[in-house]
Amino acid sequence: QAFKMLLEMRRGGCKPDMITYTTLIKACVTAGQMERAKGLLVQMDEVDIEPDATTYNALIGGYAKQLKWRECKELMAEMDQRGIAPNLLSFSYTIRACVKARRIREGQRHFEQLQELGLVPNVNVYSTLMAGFASQGMLTEAQQLMSAMQMQRIRPNEYTFSSLIEAFLRAGYARSALEVHEKMAALNLDMDDVVLRTQKMRALAMEGLLGQAFEELKGIKAMQKSNKEGVKTVVYNELIAACMARDDIEAGTEAFQ
């Protein structure tokens, strides 16, 4: 219907403008029709209508959802060629696509580029890249990123801290993970989260504090029961893995049962 209306506008002598095309592009992106959305950008060139950052961001955001980081990168380059300055949202979408596609170094390069352009990353951009570092066990990079946030006086959120905790756990630093958890509590951040509590359980088990780890498991079970959810297998798997890492077959068997 939207495309039909565009055709009627043309037939009626009403020339579509940049807002018209951007709105259509957003509609295509929402419907997951990225080829059609990109085709509209081509049409804009054909009828001499200049797109702006909002137009490009709609496309970049759509490709980011599909983890098509190369397409995001190409659109960013095209913006530069047209003299359209990418903004924080452009970089945010592209970095997210890179991280989700496990192209962490590519995401890091875009993060550095946005800073070179004088843009200031917000907590969401920092947290996205932090999650990428954590997923690859890049502890040094995760710690450096947290330090950069503190220098910029950007307050980390639960997602940021959770990603840093994951980086410590993957590197085998359970005590450091527990210290970050304690810092979160001191900052009055929301700790009633399955991911955070599972991370704490893992850290406790890795430290040999199995009694406390099983108590944390009980808390997770109670929390999910109140939400009418069952405890996910991954929670038990994490506890079993932590027990076995310490060669504690008895505790691992108990978690399995």
Side-chain angles (χ1 to χ4, degrees):
Q1 290 180 344
F3 279 88
K4 184 179 178 181
M5 185 174 292
L6 177 63
L7 184 60
E8 289 176 355
M9 287 178 68
R10 288 172 174 170
R11 287 174 176 172
C14 182
K15 186 178 180 181
D17 58 11
M18 185 267 293
I19 295 175
T20 309
Y21 275 99
T22 300
T23 302
L24 279 170
I25 287 171
K26 287 180 177 179
C28 290
V29 167
T30 300
Q33 298 180 14
M34 292 307 302
E35 289 304 314
R36 207 168 190 180
K38 186 68 184 296
L40 285 167
L41 185 65
V42 174
Q43 280 188 36
M44 291 178 74
D45 280 336
E46 293 172 351
V47 294
D48 295 323
I49 296 176
E50 282 292 322
D52 66 359
T54 302
T55 312
Y56 273 98
N57 284 344
L59 283 163
I60 294 170
Y63 282 123
K65 287 180 181 178
Q66 297 180 0
L67 310 187
K68 293 184 176 180
W69 63 274
R70 288 186 180 86
E71 285 80 354
C72 294
K73 183 179 177 179
E74 288 169 2
L75 285 168
M76 292 270 283
E78 190 175 314
M79 290 177 74
D80 186 57
Q81 291 171 2
R82 288 178 177 267
I84 302 171
N87 56 29
L88 185 59
L89 188 58
S90 315
F91 282 102
S92 178
Y93 283 144
T94 303
I95 292 169
R96 186 188 308 166
C98 292
V99 167
K100 294 291 185 181
R102 297 186 178 277
R103 304 288 300 193
I104 312 304
R105 290 301 186 190
E106 190 70 38
Q108 187 178 14
R109 281 192 285 271
H110 285 292
F111 180 83
E112 293 167 354
Q113 185 183 0
L114 79 86
Q115 292 179 304
E116 290 169 1
L117 292 174
L119 298 173
V120 180
N122 58 25
V123 65
N124 294 324
V125 176
Y126 271 109
S127 298
T128 298
L129 188 56
M130 180 80 75
F133 289 148
S135 70
Q136 301 298 308
M138 299 165 69
L139 177 58
T140 300
E141 289 84 349
Q143 289 176 300
Q144 290 173 345
L145 199 62
M146 182 63 81
S147 297
M149 288 186 73
Q150 292 171 344
M151 289 180 64
Q152 291 283 348
R153 296 187 178 182
I154 296 173
R155 179 184 170 92
N157 59 21
E158 290 84 353
Y159 183 38
T160 321
F161 278 117
S162 176
S163 297
L164 181 59
I165 290 171
E166 187 62 33
F168 277 121
L169 289 173
R170 286 176 180 255
Y173 295 105
R175 171 49 51 188
S176 297
L178 289 171
E179 288 172 357
V180 175
H181 205 276
E182 291 166 3
K183 184 176 181 179
M184 290 183 67
L187 292 172
N188 295 316
L189 293 173
D190 183 10
M191 309 294 290
D192 199 21
D193 176 83
V194 172
V195 173
L196 284 168
R197 297 194 69 167
T198 301
Q199 288 175 328
K200 183 179 180 181
M201 178 193 70
R202 289 164 58 196
L204 289 167
M206 288 168 66
E207 282 289 286
L209 303 171
L210 296 174
Q212 293 181 46
F214 277 96
E215 284 299 313
E216 197 64 37
L217 176 61
K218 289 180 182 178
I220 295 170
K221 290 167 69 176
M223 183 174 67
Q224 294 201 314
K225 185 178 180 180
S226 67
N227 294 332
K228 297 182 179 180
E229 298 178 1
V231 179
K232 294 181 179 179
T233 305
V234 66
V235 177
Y236 291 105
N237 288 346
E238 295 288 6
L239 181 55
I240 293 169
C243 292
M244 299 313 294
R246 296 187 61 83
D247 294 324
D248 194 328
I249 297 174
E250 183 179 347
T253 303
E254 183 181 346
F256 179 79
Q257 292 173 341

